[in-house]
Amino acid sequence: MSFEPPSGLSRRAVLAATAIVPLAGQEARASAAAPESARSHYDRAARLAGDDPILRNIVRALSPGAVPPSPDPVEPLRIFDDVAVVTTGFVSVTAILTSEGVILIDALGSPEEAEKVLVPGLRAVGVDPAEIRYVVAAHGHDDHFGGARHLAERYGARVMMNRADWKIAAASSPAHGSYLDISDGQRLTLGGTTVVFHRTPGHTPGTVSAIFPVRWRGRRHTAMLWGGTNPPADTTGKRALLSSVRRFASHMRRAGVDVELNNHGACDQGLVRMERLRAGSAGPENPFVIGRSRAQRFMDVMEEMLRGRIATDRETGRA
C-alpha cells in the first residue's frame, strides 16, 4: 500500500515528521515509568488518611525520622468479649480467650515484666494466667519475646515463633530453648477459635501477623493484628515490608477483616481507643471495629508511606 503526503508537503517532510512520533511515544513511556518522588507518595498517604485519626497516626509512625513513642501505660481492658489487652504503653500483649484456654500474642520484654505487668494485668480483667496455652511471638525482638520463657516455665505454655527470628531471640535470651515454628498461613485452633498466621517479613525476617475472629456484645467480627510496624534501616528490608503489606492486605480482603489491631498501640491510636472504650465515649460502637473499607485504607496508607520511604532512600543515595 502506498502513502501519499497531504497537499503542500514533500514526502521527505512527512517521513521526518512520522519518525518523530515513535520517539515521542518512547519518551512518554519512559517518563511514565520513572519512579515517583518520595513527596508524591507521602502526599498521597496524607490524602488517603484525610482527617481519620487512626490513619493519620500511622502516617506519623511511618514518617522518616519518627521515633516510636513510649507513652504512659493504660489499665488492662477487654477490648472485645473474647480479647483482652495488657500494655506497658510502648508495647502491648493481646490475649485471645477461648473455651479451652488463652492464646497470647507477644509476651512483653522480660521475665520481670511478664510476672509484674502481664500476669496481674490478665487477672485484672478476669483471665487466669494458668489458662495460657500458647504464647505467640509476633517477632523476635525482646520487647515481644522477653517474657515468653517465663510463661512457658511457669504455666506450661507452648511458645511459637517463625524460624527466621530464632537467632534474633537467642541474641537477647541465649537460653531460649526450643519452640514451635510458625509457617506461612499456619492455623492454630483452640476451643473453637482459629487464628491464621501469615509471614509478614520486613520489620524482622520472621515477623508474623494474625487474622482471627472476635466478638463484641455477641456479634462476630474479624480482626487482624499487624506484627511489626517500624521499617528497618536498609532499603531491602523496606521493600520486603512493602511486599508484606500488599500481600497481607489481600489476605485481609478475602477474610473480611473489619477490626485493626497493633502490638504497639501508640502507632494506631490503640491506647486512645482503649480509653474511649473504657469511658464509654464511643457509645454502643467499638472503636476497634473500623469496617472493611477502612481496614483496607489503613493498609493503603501503609503502602504509600513505605513507597515514600523507599523513594527517600533513593533520593538520598541510601538505596
Side-chain angles (χ1 to χ4, degrees):
M1 184 174 72
S2 63
F3 175 79
E4 293 298 328
S7 176
L9 288 179
S10 70
R11 180 179 293 272
R12 179 177 295 177
V14 171
L15 291 175
T18 56
I20 294 172
V21 174
L23 292 175
Q26 291 169 10
E27 291 173 359
R29 285 193 295 273
S31 176
E36 293 186 73
S37 69
R39 175 47 52 197
S40 67
H41 289 294
Y42 296 143
D43 288 346
R44 191 175 297 123
R47 288 195 299 272
L48 283 167
D51 59 359
D52 187 316
I54 296 171
L55 304 188
R56 290 178 65 174
N57 236 48
I58 201 67
V59 167
R60 285 192 291 271
L62 292 173
S63 294
V67 176
S70 297
D72 292 335
V74 301
E75 293 298 314
L77 183 69
R78 286 205 187 198
I79 62 171
F80 288 95
D81 300 345
D82 49 2
V83 177
V85 173
V86 179
T87 181
T88 66
F90 176 70
V91 65
S92 300
V93 174
T94 302
I96 302 170
L97 317 177
T98 82
S99 60
E100 294 181 6
V102 177
I103 300 170
L104 287 187
I105 299 182
D106 292 328
L108 298 185
S110 67
E112 292 74 24
E113 281 192 339
E115 182 61 26
K116 296 180 180 179
V117 178
L118 178 53
V119 167
L122 290 172
R123 288 184 174 134
V125 292
V127 178
D128 183 357
E131 293 297 312
I132 300 171
R133 298 291 178 261
Y134 294 93
V135 178
V136 177
H139 60 267
H141 288 160
D142 58 359
D143 55 326
H144 299 264
F145 177 79
R149 184 182 179 197
H150 174 77
L151 297 173
E153 292 177 346
R154 179 162 182 183
Y155 301 111
R158 306 188 77 181
V159 179
M160 303 176 66
M161 182 170 55
N162 182 260
R163 184 179 299 273
D165 273 12
W166 283 0
K167 289 184 179 179
I168 297 174
S172 60
S173 180
H176 68 284
S178 60
Y179 298 98
L180 301 175
D181 180 42
I182 301 175
S183 59
D184 188 32
Q186 183 166 338
R187 302 165 73 87
L188 172 63
T189 299
L190 184 67
T193 297
T194 297
V195 184
V196 183
F197 298 104
H198 297 280
R199 280 199 66 197
T200 51
H203 180 70
T204 66
T207 298
V208 295
S209 298
I211 294 176
F212 52 96
V214 298
R215 291 189 175 276
W216 174 244
R217 297 180 176 175
R219 185 173 180 179
R220 181 186 167 112
H221 298 274
T222 303
M224 71 81 144
L225 193 152
W226 185 246
T229 301
N230 196 36
D234 62 289
T235 306
T236 299
K238 292 185 182 77
R239 292 187 185 279
L241 189 54
L242 171 61
S243 295
S244 294
V245 165
R246 297 183 65 188
R247 189 167 54 251
F248 192 68
S250 179
H251 292 309
M252 288 169 53
R253 189 180 302 111
R254 287 194 294 270
V257 165
D258 61 349
V259 172
E260 180 275 325
L261 304 174
N262 194 296
N263 48 21
H264 288 283
C267 290
D268 66 342
Q269 284 223 324
L271 303 183
V272 172
R273 286 185 277 171
M274 285 178 69
E275 293 301 80
R276 286 184 61 207
L277 187 59
R278 191 192 320 274
S281 59
E285 303 300 322
N286 185 314
F288 290 96
V289 179
I290 65 174
R292 295 185 183 187
S293 63
R294 198 171 164 206
Q296 286 294 313
R297 194 150 50 97
F298 182 92
M299 302 305 289
D300 291 342
V301 169
M302 288 186 69
E303 177 178 342
E304 288 299 332
M305 290 303 298
L306 287 167
R307 289 187 184 279
R309 294 292 295 271
I310 293 166
T312 294
D313 285 355
R314 183 184 65 247
E315 291 167 4
T316 57
R318 294 182 57 189

